[in-house]
Amino acid sequence: MKSRGLAALSASAPITRFDFERRDLGTHDVALDIAFAGICHSDIHQVRQEWGPAIFPMVPGHEIAGTVTAIGNSVTKFKVGDLIGVGVFIDSCRICESCKRGLQQYCENGMTGTYNTVERDGTTIAYGGYSNNFVINEDYAVHIPANLKLQLEGVAPLLCAGITLYSPLKTWGAKPGMRVGIIGLGGLGHMGVKFAHALGAEVTVFSHSPSKERDAKAMGADHFVVTRDLATLKPLHKSFDLLLNTVSADLDINIYLDLLSLDGTLVVIGLPGKPYAVNVGSLLNGRRRIAGSMIGGIPQMQEMLDFCGEHSIVSDVEIISADYVDTAYKRTVESDVQYRFVIDTSTI
Ligand code: NAP
Ligand code: ZN
Ligand code: ZN
């Protein structure tokens, strides 16, 4: 299938128009027209090879919302015209314990990412969502609730930013009475605020951008803490049950460990690519935990989208055209995004 996309030709080249072929529709595949593709900070990390060597040309994009245009002969989950979402992976082994439990992101044989990788046939390069269309096995795509049809631009970021914060909030049981802190109010963080609030938790945002306070509170934050002066954190010692760190840059994690109360957990979500130095004393004193969490499996992605449909939750986005992607990358790295850039793929 012919595709029109946007690609990084190298780690430093500007994003450019790129024509390529996707695989033909297989019997279990669906084809979709992409309406919107979100820009995740992970796209930037990968284009810039901050996570290691990458495959170029790279068509990034794993926050994909669109409409089904064709289905393979054996497809039962979708029909032409359905709204459809694709996230961070497009395949996995299907037979390991994780896959059987619907935790495909933790596939013991390695999930197949949406781009910057080779598909399971060992030869086909996976190209992502900064493009006009997509082909995917039906088992790895999800339904977008019909009532979100007119907000597809705000739905696209749910496929990564949304599920990545929804999943740990569910794992660690966010609920009324729980004190949850979200560190970093970017694409991921702002979804964390919306979900934690909807689940009834008391939500505090930790941000190094004082200008974001009003937005944070409008999204559902109860408190907003500016982290530029670390003295402001002192009074908050031992006052959180759960902290979700979404910061894309290096961070002194020990400052936040001290904010956890007994048995509190700090979940690492941001992935700047460098190891953290951990003050083990902070862990011992209070039986605190550091954990990690990576996106979410297909069943939970569907649950998250249904939750968004019920609670009318979408991402706050800035819709951009194809020629703005380099600027959007620059602004994202500068934490100047409100709160997700989303490409209108009709402009490619
Ligand atoms: P983003 O939109 O750029 O948001 C990151 C936020 O971190 C910024 O808005 C900013 O918030 C804060 N920040 C940035 N630089 C900082 C600095 N030097 N000091 C303190 N705070 C800083 O990025 P994103 O798309 O949300 O992604 C965040 C991270 O999660 C990335 O590393 C990404 O690769 C990773 N990620 C992980 C998963 C997973 O499954 N675990 C999934 C997707 C993405 P304030 O302005 O509020 O301080
Ligand atoms: Zn992502
Ligand atoms: Zn597996």
Side-chain angles (χ1 to χ4, degrees):
M1 187 167 81
K2 289 202 180 319
S3 293
R4 216 171 50 239
L6 297 174
L9 303 180
S10 76
S12 53
I15 300 281
T16 47
R17 270 285 320 275
F18 176 68
D19 292 323
F20 60 101
E21 287 276 339
R22 295 199 186 272
R23 70 165 190 256
D24 291 331
L25 195 69
T27 52
H28 289 282
D29 286 341
V30 297
L32 53 135
D33 270 350
I34 299 175
F36 294 98
I39 294 181
C40 178
H41 207 119
S42 302
D43 300 345
I44 304 172
H45 289 313
Q46 289 180 84
V47 165
R48 298 186 177 174
Q49 302 196 107
E50 289 163 0
W51 292 350
I55 302 173
F56 296 106
M58 184 197 303
V59 177
H62 58 208
E63 296 186 333
I64 299 168
T67 308
V68 175
T69 53
I71 58 171
N73 288 337
S74 306
V75 168
T76 56
K77 187 170 159 184
F78 293 95
K79 56 185 191 321
V80 171
D82 283 354
L83 299 177
I84 182 171
V86 176
V88 177
F89 54 91
I90 54 168
D91 207 351
S92 67
C93 86
R94 294 167 183 261
I95 55 172
C96 74
E97 276 312 306
S98 299
C99 284
K100 283 195 218 149
R101 290 174 59 194
L103 298 168
Q104 296 88 350
Q105 78 276 31
Y106 303 126
C107 173
E108 288 160 29
N109 298 302
M111 66 174 190
T112 305
T114 305
Y115 66 86
N116 189 26
T117 192
V118 176
E119 291 193 26
R120 289 190 114 71
D121 63 6
T123 52
T124 309
I125 304 272
Y127 292 117
Y130 297 4
S131 63
N132 62 328
N133 58 22
F134 206 81
V135 177
I136 186 164
N137 182 293
E138 61 173 333
D139 296 337
Y140 290 81
V142 283
H143 288 278
I144 294 170
N147 65 320
L148 300 179
K149 182 174 184 166
L150 299 178
Q151 297 165 278
L152 278 190
E153 66 279 7
V155 170
L158 301 177
L159 279 305
C160 174
I163 184 61
T164 300
L165 273 287
Y166 182 84
S167 187
L169 286 166
K170 287 304 235 180
T171 301
W172 281 276
K175 59 176 191 286
M178 193 179 214
R179 300 157 301 169
V180 175
I182 307 283
I183 311 170
L185 193 71
L188 268 57
H190 93 289
M191 290 313 308
V193 173
K194 291 184 183 213
F195 286 136
H197 175 69
L199 292 166
E202 181 180 349
V203 187
T204 301
V205 169
F206 294 92
S207 171
H208 81 316
S209 306
S211 61
K212 294 180 181 175
E213 176 163 6
R214 203 150 57 116
D215 291 344
K217 295 217 166 128
M219 290 168 199
D222 300 289
H223 316 283
F224 185 87
V225 178
V226 179
T227 55
R228 283 194 181 162
D229 177 6
L230 294 177
T232 55
L233 302 183
K234 275 246 158 22
L236 301 175
H237 276 193
K238 301 192 177 174
S239 42
F240 288 88
D241 304 301
L242 181 66
L243 290 170
L244 305 181
N245 174 24
T246 74
V247 171
S248 50
D250 292 335
L251 196 70
D252 183 354
I253 206 168
N254 301 300
I255 294 161
Y256 293 97
L257 281 179
D258 288 339
L259 305 189
L260 291 172
S261 56
L262 180 64
D263 285 329
T265 303
L266 184 146
V267 185
V268 177
I269 295 167
L271 194 58
K274 288 197 194 134
Y276 285 117
V278 176
N279 177 358
V280 178
S282 292
L283 281 183
L284 308 191
N285 187 359
R287 203 159 55 189
R288 294 162 170 142
R289 295 154 206 182
I290 297 182
S293 185
M294 190 170 77
I295 42 177
I298 294 293
Q300 198 173 44
M301 283 168 70
Q302 191 60 63
E303 177 190 312
M304 179 272 309
L305 283 172
D306 294 344
F307 183 88
C308 289
E310 281 158 32
H311 295 261
S312 294
I313 292 176
V314 289
S315 169
D316 293 6
V317 299
E318 291 187 51
I319 300 175
I320 62 167
S321 56
D323 56 9
Y324 194 77
V325 174
D326 287 315
T327 309
Y329 275 23
K330 183 169 173 291
R331 285 185 50 198
T332 299
V333 171
E334 291 166 354
S335 304
D336 175 22
V337 49
Q338 285 144 358
Y339 278 82
R340 197 57 137 190
F341 288 111
V342 170
I343 304 166
D344 172 353
T345 53
S346 68
T347 63
I348 297 175

